[in-house]
Amino acid sequence: MIKANPPLLLLPTLALSFLAGVMILQLQAELPSLYWTLLLIPFLVLLFYFQKHYWLLFLLTGFFWANFHGWHYLDSVPDTTLAGKNILVSGVITDLPVKQSRSTKFLFKVEGFELDGYQGAVPKQLRLSWYYSKKVLRPGDQWQFVVRIKPPSGFQNPGGFDYTAWLYQQGIHATGYVRKSSLNKKIGESYWLSVIDRLRYKIRETINTNSNTEISSLLNALAIGYRNDMSPDIWQVFIKTGTNHLIAISGLHIGLIAGFVWMILRLLSRIKYLSIYLGYRQLLIYSFSVALFYAALAGFTIPTQRALIMLAVVYTGFYLYRHLTVLQSLSLALVIVLIISPTSVLSVGFWLSFLAVAAISYSLVGRLSGRNRIFTWLWPQIVVITVLIPLSFYFFQQSSIIAFIANIVAIPVIGMLILPILLLALLIAPIHMSSASLLLSFSADLLSYLLSFLRFLAEYEFSVWVHSEANLLSLVLAMIALVILFLPYAFPARLLSVFLLMPLFFQKTESLPEAIFELHVLDVGQGLSVFIKTKNHNLLFDAGARFSDRFDLGEKVVVPFLRHVGVNKLDRMIISNGDNDHIGGGQSVINNIRVEEIVGRDIDKLEHSNASLCTKGQKWIWDGVTFEILHPQHQAYRKRNNYSCVLKVSNTINSVLITGDIEKKAEKELLQEQKELLKANVLIVPHHGSKTSSSLVFLKAVQPEIAIYSSGFLNRYRFPKEKIVERYRQLEIKQLNTATSGQISLLVGLEGIKNKEIRYRKQYRRYWHRRVNEGDIR
């Protein structure tokens, strides 16, 4: 006979099995065929029928479900044949549009798609930018646009943010921009389908009207989960103090709101005439309803969905008077979260939230009885911050030292004062705006005082502990150590677990041998950033572009990569020229990594006390590796590109030539004055492969074995030019491009280097990443 359900005691095992199945699928470079997946369904039925191997049943179910979810997404992802073509689309604006200085970014649900002759996948949701438009876009508005789109793509570097995975989690099938056209027009409204987003839009406008920009950005983050107006400086304050989780609506906020409402209603239930309406089950319904409303205001983001599911599981058990242990409740919530969104495992927040709740629950066993209220409040904070230290080192290469002090103050201020007052203001705003404005002003004042306190803490020189050596093994050992450490006091030899923490903090990084160096050409899109490491020294050549005050590749790509490989100091940074795609990320690198010296051109744009021009003839030797500036000798060039710094790096056998943006005039000058120095095994292609560079005579002088382009995927300049690619091909030079390979790394030793490169996109490909065929250059 078949049992209706597996025993509740098996819930944790089954949940972990389901999680393992989902994780195994997410590690695949290609999705398994749905056909053989369907053929295995009878096998699953037999497993269930004979009541054996439940863990295997759940593991396979998790794997198959994630596979189905993956195919469902990919079936709506268009191919690259759409790139560069004007497409007429119609649909509805969803979520809150983000207004920036040059553009408005918004999500667009596609309802109509017109392109003659196109038979491929039609995207269901787009992420679009509309440049230099004065049109007001609101959620629920129906529009018709002429757009150009491309499939999801992002930078691919070790330690970097996987933008493609984020698009996958958000259900976005393509990105692009609106073209200038008379066909762009509003065609209607879809009010009821976007009623929540319309409400969020009005709340944002109300908050912006009643508060200054700095505080309104924080109020919007707390009220509706909208953080796009927040300045990088404020964000850094919250990161340095370890309180950034407080301005990203998640489980803490949902739990605090539900608990606050429960507490208030519980007090009101003591009033005789109200007690009949405020029974135990009614309190559950009312407090969950408020939490649901708050999650809706936050846009039902993935973290709020996760938190709401956890709360629903716990409240359902209470409502039905079914006793579930914390571990069982957490396990059930985990399975439901993964069923709704198998891509949740791709988010760091998923792991942090579940592990934090599990750690608190585990550490409280046998500890709260007989304890005073101060201990009851402080102990979970101690546990969470302790658990998050190794996790932060692994995921972010840093952790806040002052997080405990900051959170002890910030959590009650936000959770028990600011949030309730803010929500009350939003609830009464439609009824009595003057009272709502007064409450908004009060919450803004409280937030201002809190921000001042956090800024005071963040100014402490050692507020953040940067630690780049954490790996997966040291993380696992550290988590095992914490499990033992938080055992009851009577457990013998509990403190010996500290020894398991040592690999996390005392890892020895292997240094390179003398005269050998690493070359890393980072994937920074249409720009350049090259990192070179010798035995004891580090050099960065260019730092990618800066797109806005909130986004530059120095902060988003270069710094995370440097921390990932354990670099906290650059002995020298070279800026080849002042074009944005070379210097744009430089200041962020200076602000986050200690830079001893800057050499380059147009470096007056950067704030640094030790800076000088790069000039032909500069030469130095680090650890048996020679660095030499070959160009420029002067600055008498009409084009900025031609006075780019040119650097040659070599040992006794191999060499690399990094050419910046030089064009034919500079190439000719190099040939006339230093032809004998140009020969190199590896050439970083001049000016990203433009037709104004890579002259035939120059390439014959360099004689590279490998040529590396640093260019953006489907960039507007169409670099590298087909003519240039063909020229390298005719000379039988191996060509690589960061646009198709991601970051390209090479260990330059004292032997041949051909076919020894590591292409990050190929080595660490996942099924949601853009497919690249072997040999693709453009």
Side-chain angles (χ1 to χ4, degrees):
M1 182 180 294
I2 303 173
K3 294 182 181 179
N5 292 295
L8 286 178
L9 292 176
L10 287 179
L11 261 179
T13 301
L14 301 181
L16 290 176
S17 299
F18 194 83
L19 172 63
V22 172
M23 279 298 302
I24 292 171
L25 189 280
Q26 307 299 6
L27 293 173
Q28 303 307 306
E30 299 287 347
L31 282 177
S33 168
L34 279 179
Y35 296 107
W36 72 259
T37 301
L38 293 174
L39 291 175
L40 287 175
I41 289 180
F43 176 67
L44 291 178
V45 174
L46 289 175
L47 280 176
F48 183 74
Y49 182 79
F50 290 107
Q51 308 176 28
K52 296 178 181 179
H53 306 303
Y54 273 117
W55 68 269
L56 181 58
L57 171 66
F58 271 67
L59 185 145
L60 292 174
T61 303
F63 183 87
F64 294 158
W65 176 246
N67 188 37
F68 173 80
H69 187 273
W71 277 113
H72 179 71
Y73 170 79
L74 293 181
D75 282 345
S76 297
V77 174
D79 55 40
T80 56
T81 58
L82 288 180
K85 296 179 180 178
N86 291 341
I87 305 166
L88 184 65
V89 296
S90 59
V92 180
I93 295 173
T94 60
D95 207 2
L96 300 183
V98 179
K99 184 69 176 177
Q100 297 180 336
S101 58
R102 297 188 306 123
S103 66
T104 301
K105 298 182 182 296
F106 58 98
L107 294 182
F108 192 69
K109 182 181 178 183
V110 177
E111 296 176 344
F113 189 94
E114 296 180 24
L115 178 64
D116 291 342
Y118 180 68
Q119 300 294 325
V122 174
K124 297 176 182 177
Q125 184 164 233
L126 306 175
R127 190 170 194 245
L128 297 174
S129 299
W130 196 356
Y131 293 93
Y132 307 110
S133 171
K134 296 181 181 180
K135 300 288 187 181
V136 176
L137 302 179
R138 298 180 303 169
D141 287 350
Q142 294 176 311
W143 277 81
Q144 173 182 279
F145 296 116
V146 175
V147 301
R148 285 190 176 178
I149 62 174
K150 59 183 179 182
S153 184
F155 309 115
Q156 292 290 300
N157 301 277
F161 176 67
D162 191 342
Y163 178 63
T164 314
W166 181 83
L167 293 174
Y168 178 21
Q169 293 175 67
Q170 305 302 315
I172 298 170
H173 303 103
T175 61
Y177 61 95
V178 178
R179 296 276 288 170
K180 187 176 181 180
S181 172
S182 60
L183 297 175
N184 296 335
K185 60 182 179 181
K186 182 178 177 181
I187 57 177
E189 292 185 0
S190 179
Y191 181 83
W192 291 110
L193 294 178
S194 304
V195 62
I196 295 297
D197 285 328
R198 289 262 185 167
L199 177 60
R200 297 175 69 223
Y201 181 86
K202 290 180 179 179
I203 291 172
R204 184 179 69 175
E205 299 307 304
T206 301
I207 289 175
N208 289 343
T209 302
N210 286 273
S211 308
N212 66 57
T213 303
E214 184 176 78
I215 298 302
S216 67
S217 67
L218 293 175
L219 289 175
N220 278 320
L222 290 171
I224 57 175
Y226 181 82
R227 293 181 291 161
N228 292 286
D229 290 339
M230 196 178 302
S231 71
D233 292 338
I234 293 182
W235 183 244
Q236 282 300 313
V237 168
F238 283 94
I239 288 178
K240 287 182 177 180
T241 55
T243 52
N244 50 314
H245 64 100
L246 294 177
I247 52 173
I249 297 176
S250 59
L252 177 64
H253 302 74
I254 301 294
L256 285 172
I257 287 296
F260 183 81
V261 172
W262 173 279
M263 181 181 68
I264 296 299
L265 294 179
R266 184 71 174 169
L267 291 174
L268 292 175
S269 68
R270 296 178 181 179
I271 300 174
K272 181 178 180 181
Y273 300 105
L274 295 178
S275 60
I276 191 173
Y277 304 107
L278 296 174
Y280 175 75
R281 287 185 167 179
Q282 286 94 330
L283 292 183
L284 290 172
I285 294 172
Y286 297 150
S287 60
F288 182 79
S289 298
V290 174
L292 179 64
F293 173 70
Y294 184 44
L297 288 183
F300 283 120
T301 58
I302 292 175
T304 56
Q305 291 178 32
R306 192 164 55 233
L308 204 59
I309 290 170
M310 289 185 182
L311 186 65
V313 169
V314 173
Y315 271 29
T316 300
F318 290 159
Y319 189 89
L320 298 175
Y321 298 103
R322 293 293 299 272
H323 177 70
L324 291 178
T325 66
V326 174
L327 185 58
Q328 290 169 348
S329 298
L330 196 63
S331 300
L332 187 56
L334 174 63
V335 172
I336 296 173
V337 166
L338 293 176
I339 290 174
I340 293 175
S341 178
T343 57
S344 294
V345 297
L346 305 179
S347 167
V348 174
F350 167 85
W351 298 98
L352 295 182
S353 61
F354 272 101
L355 287 173
V357 174
I360 293 172
S361 305
Y362 173 76
S363 68
L364 291 178
V365 175
R367 276 190 168 87
L368 292 186
S369 57
R371 300 287 181 175
N372 58 41
R373 292 183 179 181
I374 295 178
F375 178 87
T376 304
W377 167 250
L378 290 181
W379 179 248
Q381 304 300 319
I382 295 171
V383 171
V384 169
I385 291 170
T386 304
V387 169
L388 289 183
I389 288 174
L391 291 170
S392 296
F393 283 154
Y394 180 74
F395 288 117
F396 310 116
Q397 294 82 51
Q398 63 180 20
S399 182
S400 173
I401 294 176
I402 55 177
F404 179 73
I405 298 173
N407 278 279
I408 286 298
V409 175
I411 289 177
V413 169
I414 289 180
M416 306 306 291
L417 293 174
I418 296 175
L419 263 184
I421 294 171
L422 183 57
L423 285 182
L424 181 60
L426 298 179
L427 287 171
I428 68 173
I431 305 170
H432 202 273
M433 192 62 208
S434 59
S435 298
S437 297
L438 187 64
L439 290 172
L440 280 175
S441 178
F442 183 48
S443 59
D445 289 340
L446 289 173
L447 199 51
S448 180
Y449 293 136
L450 177 63
L451 183 59
S452 298
F453 170 71
L454 295 178
R455 275 184 169 142
F456 171 76
L457 294 179
E459 288 173 0
Y460 177 58
E461 185 178 356
F462 302 105
S463 60
V464 175
W465 182 0
V466 177
H467 183 69
S468 307
E469 284 76 30
N471 57 35
L472 184 58
L473 176 59
S474 64
L475 174 65
V476 171
L477 291 175
M479 300 311 288
I480 293 173
L482 293 179
V483 167
I484 298 173
L485 190 63
F486 290 133
L487 283 169
Y489 296 126
F491 187 81
R494 188 167 50 92
L495 294 180
L496 293 178
S497 63
V498 173
F499 289 105
L500 291 177
L501 290 171
M502 289 185 176
L504 182 70
F505 300 104
F506 303 103
Q507 290 191 49
K508 184 178 180 181
T509 305
E510 292 185 12
S511 61
L512 293 168
E514 192 81 6
I516 292 177
F517 63 96
E518 293 177 1
L519 171 74
H520 302 278
V521 184
L522 276 63
D523 179 10
V524 291
Q526 190 57 38
L528 182 65
S529 186
V530 180
F531 174 68
I532 296 173
K533 180 179 182 61
T534 67
K535 182 178 181 179
N536 298 304
H537 295 84
N538 303 303
L539 179 141
L540 182 70
F541 189 101
D542 287 342
R546 179 183 180 87
F547 297 109
S548 69
D549 292 340
R550 294 181 175 85
F551 186 81
D552 75 74
L553 298 181
E555 179 186 8
K556 301 300 183 182
V557 172
V558 181
V559 171
F561 165 75
L562 293 175
R563 287 179 173 165
H564 179 79
V565 296
V567 173
N568 298 316
K569 183 191 77 168
L570 291 172
D571 297 280
R572 187 164 295 167
M573 181 166 72
I574 297 177
I575 299 296
S576 64
N577 66 79
D579 284 350
N580 178 54
D581 57 331
H582 296 258
I583 196 175
Q587 194 60 53
S588 289
V589 174
I590 294 169
N591 294 342
N592 290 278
I593 303 289
R594 182 156 62 96
V595 180
E596 298 291 339
E597 180 186 7
I598 296 178
V599 175
R601 291 284 165 170
D602 303 315
I603 50 179
D604 55 308
K605 300 177 181 180
L606 301 175
E607 296 178 8
H608 196 277
S609 59
N610 186 15
S612 59
L613 293 175
C614 72
T615 308
K616 171 190 170 183
Q618 292 173 318
K619 186 176 181 179
W620 64 96
I621 298 175
W622 286 342
D623 310 315
V625 179
T626 301
F627 296 77
E628 186 171 5
I629 302 291
L630 305 184
H631 184 80
Q633 185 171 0
H634 53 80
Q635 197 165 327
Y637 298 101
R638 184 173 62 87
K639 289 186 176 182
R640 172 187 285 168
N641 288 345
N642 281 321
Y643 67 72
S644 291
C645 305
V646 175
L647 175 69
K648 184 175 182 180
V649 186
S650 57
N651 55 29
T652 55
I653 303 296
N654 297 305
S655 57
V656 176
L657 188 64
I658 309 174
T659 55
D661 275 348
I662 63 169
E663 298 182 353
K664 290 177 182 177
K665 183 174 182 178
E667 290 178 357
K668 183 178 179 181
E669 186 174 304
L670 282 165
L671 287 166
Q672 291 172 346
E673 299 177 2
Q674 304 187 81
K675 183 176 181 178
E676 69 283 356
L677 294 176
L678 292 179
K679 190 175 187 306
N681 304 82
V682 180
L683 172 65
I684 309 301
V685 176
H687 200 200
H688 319 287
S690 77
K691 63 182 180 182
T692 59
S693 306
S694 296
S695 60
L696 183 60
V697 63
F698 179 75
L699 296 184
K700 287 183 176 180
V702 179
Q703 301 178 45
E705 299 174 46
I706 300 173
I708 300 176
Y709 303 96
S710 181
S711 66
F713 173 58
L714 297 177
N715 64 85
R716 60 187 176 126
Y717 307 105
R718 299 182 183 274
F719 290 162
K721 294 294 186 180
E722 183 58 41
K723 178 181 178 181
I724 299 301
V725 172
E726 184 57 32
R727 183 175 297 163
Y728 281 89
R729 187 179 290 125
Q730 289 176 357
L731 293 174
E732 298 183 348
I733 299 169
K734 183 173 184 176
Q735 302 176 74
L736 300 171
N737 189 351
T738 56
T740 54
S741 298
Q743 179 184 303
I744 300 167
S745 300
L746 191 62
L747 182 64
V748 183
L750 302 177
E751 55 186 20
I753 59 174
K754 202 164 187 178
N755 298 321
K756 291 187 177 181
E757 74 281 348
I758 296 174
R759 289 173 276 176
Y760 188 80
R761 185 178 289 274
K762 178 181 179 181
Q763 185 164 352
Y764 297 96
R765 170 177 160 76
R766 297 292 181 262
Y767 66 86
W768 59 83
H769 290 148
R770 171 169 45 90
R771 181 186 297 276
V772 176
N773 297 320
E774 189 68 29
D776 283 355
I777 302 299
R778 302 179 74 245

